[in-house]
Amino acid sequence: MQTAATDTEEELATRQVILQAAYEEIHVRGFQAASLSKILANTNVTKGALYHYFPTKLALGYAVVDEILAEQIQQQWVQPLLQTDDPVTGLIQIIKQAGQELTEEDIYCGCPLNNLAQEMAPVDEGFRSRVEFVYEAWRTGTETAFKNGQDKGFVKKEINATSVATMIVASLEGCMGLAKNARSKKMLYQCGESVMDYLQSLRT
Amino acid sequence: MQTAATDTEEELATRQVILQAAYEEIHVRGFQAASLSKILANTNVTKGALYHYFPTKLALGYAVVDEILAEQIQQQWVQPLLQTDDPVTGLIQIIKQAGQELTEEDIYCGCPLNNLAQEMAPVDEGFRSRVEFVYEAWRTGTETAFKNGQDKGFVKKEINATSVATMIVASLEGCMGLAKNARSKKMLYQCGESVMDYLQSLRT
DNA sequence: TGTTATACATACCAATCGGTATGTATGTCA
DNA sequence: TGACATACATACCGATTGGTATGTATAACA
């Protein structure tokens, strides 16, 4: 029933269970207010297992950023955008799809990356730098897509792709943040429309 | 040395000291991680005084939103904008002034309203609704300014002032959030430039 | 001048926190 | 088959948390 000696068998199933439960608890309560006891209570894993895989609570939080959030952003925002030729059309499609896939509960809890950024940036440098690494990938991925779009004649040459990429990430996070506090999918869509209008203004 | 019986003498100086200290601690640590003991340690006020003025920690947090943050947003973003005829020119000026006035430490701690929104919205309805009240005032103030701008011929008639107002608040909060995690005033300015470009695109 | 309410101050408390010490079951390998 | 490392499980610990009970000094008022 148990796996012992030499991990990596079923991709460390127990570790993944802990990581996922931590991700969910942190998503709702934030990192500092997330209780290890409550995380474990949501699984059938004990504290011994937790501290076998993670030396501290902080290390568990870091792993959530490195192994879950980085992947999420990459798969949802960066990779699909880099596969399109016209970044405006591509990003609008990604935004629409994201809007459809988000449940009301997702909206109520907001973007987990932004949550951790706003909570932990002033409190812990390890968190901040790891979150920044993910944001950096998001921004530079977007920047690359828009530079390619400029080269292929889809996007105005006079815009600064770096600034625009930052603005895009900022406005998306801002929209999600406002919709989260308003608890309103309608506001998310309304704000999303304005973001898409902005994107259209970047066309040649 | 002490004021007793019938408050309201020096505008409840002690209460204000507690409130201000709470605001500062919450700004850095967040509400849930803010410790009452540490808040009091930053003043020369005791726990007895705190619980004389505030029945619970939650009530103290609510007072920070109602009495400090609401006023901040109103004074910094709503009132100046409503005094201008051309909202685009007006808002650009407000953004530039805000950017100049912000210290590096302000950037590192981010917008206190956004901080509380992202942290507390899923956790406590009392917080969420109070923060929402402030956001609502910010959004509708901006909306009114842009509707007036449309009437006076400064702003395109075809834009939806409600959506635009939401987008403006979202992108401003998004910019501050990104700059906070990046710990970069340069990024704040860079992102602010793109917001101002967006505002320019709303002109007739 | 005595009474009372206000405005604090001090000491303490149960609950919860992250973390540790110890024990045990199981698979690997010599 | 025995030795050993891995993979947990259980019980416990000091520190910190928000909150309370109690005491006291002062001002207003009758």
Side-chain angles (χ1 to χ4, degrees), chain B residues 3-5 7 14 46 48-49 52-53:
Chain B
T3 55
D7 257 327
T14 302
T46 63
H52 176 70
Y53 289 106

Side-chain angles (χ1 to χ4, degrees), chain A residues 3-5 7 14 46 48-49 52-53:
Chain A
T3 57
D7 256 326
T14 302
T46 63
H52 175 70
Y53 289 106

Side-chain angles (χ1 to χ4, degrees), chain B residues 77-145:
Chain B
W77 296 103
V78 180
Q79 280 178 6
L81 185 57
L82 287 175
Q83 282 168 4
T84 62
D85 281 333
D86 173 5
V88 173
T89 305
L91 188 48
I92 285 176
Q93 199 182 340
I94 292 167
I95 291 173
K96 283 183 178 173
Q97 195 186 334
Q100 284 172 354
E101 285 175 2
L102 281 178
T103 66
E104 296 278 342
E105 268 208 4
D106 288 334
I107 294 175
Y108 298 164
C109 290
C111 170
L113 186 67
N114 191 39
N115 292 354
L116 282 177
Q118 302 314 312
E119 180 191 2
M120 298 305 295
V123 174
D124 182 82
E125 171 60 20
F127 254 111
R128 191 201 66 82
S129 60
R130 281 168 174 82
V131 168
E132 188 59 20
F133 185 79
V134 181
Y135 267 127
E136 178 76 14
W138 189 357
R139 273 186 258 114
T140 57
T142 307
E143 180 184 345
T144 301

